[in-house]
Amino acid sequence: MTGAEIDRSVRQQLRTLSKENAEGVAQHLVMVAALLEAEDLDGALAHAETAVRRAGRVPAAREALGFVAYRMGDFARALTEFRTVRRLSGSSHLLPLMVDCERGLGRPARALELLGSPEARHLGQEEQVELLIVGSGIRRDMGQPQAAVLALQGQVDKVATKPWAARVWYAYADALLDVGRSDDARAWFAKAAVADQDGETDAIERVDELDGIRLEEVDLPQDPGSHDGAGSQES
């Protein structure tokens, strides 16, 4: 990892640092991304914390730490970092994650307040859709399953050609399942499975589950020539 793999926008942020420090922080940020992909959350956290120690006022460093905390389920820490990013950069692009953090902390009212904030109305299309997905989940948490369906109902046809279609259709299927529309839910899980080329969801498994298919671990027959899997020994 040389650090050259980072996005141009992040490289711009690192120009506020000395050349040597910028190169080091860039390498740590690249490692955060690589370790997150490898599901090594502890390793990613160590690199993200180092990046923040070396570049605490660089939004990309704080965002990396926030995202690792979010993936680890540490929603309080993630929310603190995302708020810092918004303060440093003036950008609200992390608002969907902030809303989800409030949801994870068991504060649905505060999450809905963020959903209706002026900043939310000025986000791009993808972020707006993410907010709808999170909002649908919040309404399910609050025991409002029909409202959860309605939150996404107007989007399911509009996103057909978008890269985030699978996520919308999966969330919609989940909401439909909560109101007892299992046949419709199966159809939308199936659509999500076809659209999900990167395996972001477990839509295929959800279809199998609704079809009554269960995959169970089976113990393979033991090799007659082995003993407890350790092989035979000569006397």
Side-chain angles (χ1 to χ4, degrees):
M1 300 292 180
T2 65
E5 300 89 346
I6 60 173
D7 292 339
R8 181 182 300 175
S9 60
V10 177
R11 196 174 298 116
Q12 285 285 114
Q13 294 179 28
L14 296 178
R15 286 185 177 179
T16 60
L17 307 175
S18 69
K19 185 175 184 298
E20 181 181 356
N21 196 26
E23 289 176 355
V25 171
Q27 290 170 348
H28 284 295
L29 293 178
V30 171
M31 285 303 301
V32 170
L35 291 170
L36 280 175
E37 188 172 350
E39 299 294 330
D40 181 357
L41 299 185
D42 289 333
L45 179 63
H47 281 281
E49 287 177 335
T50 301
V52 168
R53 280 197 299 271
R54 297 179 61 169
R57 295 193 61 77
V58 172
R62 306 304 292 255
E63 182 172 339
L65 180 54
F67 191 68
V68 175
Y70 176 81
R71 285 279 298 272
M72 297 179 84
D74 188 348
F75 298 117
R77 188 177 192 184
L79 187 58
T80 296
E81 295 301 325
F82 294 152
R83 284 172 175 164
T84 301
V85 173
R86 184 165 66 170
R87 188 178 70 251
L88 291 173
S89 68
S91 171
S92 296
H93 69 283
L94 293 173
L95 200 58
L97 291 178
M98 294 172 66
V99 172
D100 207 29
C101 285
E102 294 285 10
R103 177 190 179 193
L105 290 167
R107 301 191 297 229
R110 291 181 67 170
L112 290 176
E113 185 179 336
L114 274 178
L115 272 175
S117 67
E119 292 88 352
R121 292 193 290 271
H122 291 93
L123 292 175
Q125 185 181 11
E126 184 173 1
E127 288 82 7
Q128 292 273 5
V129 169
E130 286 297 323
L131 282 176
L132 287 174
I133 292 173
V134 176
S136 176
I138 292 169
R139 287 172 174 84
R140 289 172 60 205
D141 294 345
M142 296 174 71
Q144 301 171 3
Q146 192 59 47
V149 171
L150 293 174
L152 292 170
Q153 194 167 272
Q155 286 293 323
V156 290
D157 292 326
K158 294 179 182 178
V159 301
T161 61
K162 302 296 184 182
W164 50 85
R167 286 178 47 74
V168 174
W169 293 342
Y170 184 96
Y172 186 56
D174 243 350
L176 289 170
L177 206 54
D178 263 11
V179 296
R181 293 169 56 184
S182 56
D183 289 344
D184 290 336
R186 189 215 179 274
W188 285 103
F189 276 131
K191 284 174 69 72
V194 172
D196 189 5
Q197 299 297 315
D198 298 323
E200 291 185 69
T201 72
D202 62 346
I204 294 175
E205 288 82 356
R206 299 297 297 274
V207 172
D208 288 344
E209 183 181 315
L210 287 171
D211 287 344
I213 298 173
R214 293 288 187 276
L215 297 178
E216 298 180 358
E217 292 185 3
V218 178
D219 292 330
L220 296 176
Q222 196 175 57
D223 187 335
S226 67
H227 302 282
D228 296 326
S232 61
Q233 294 182 345
E234 294 183 357
S235 59

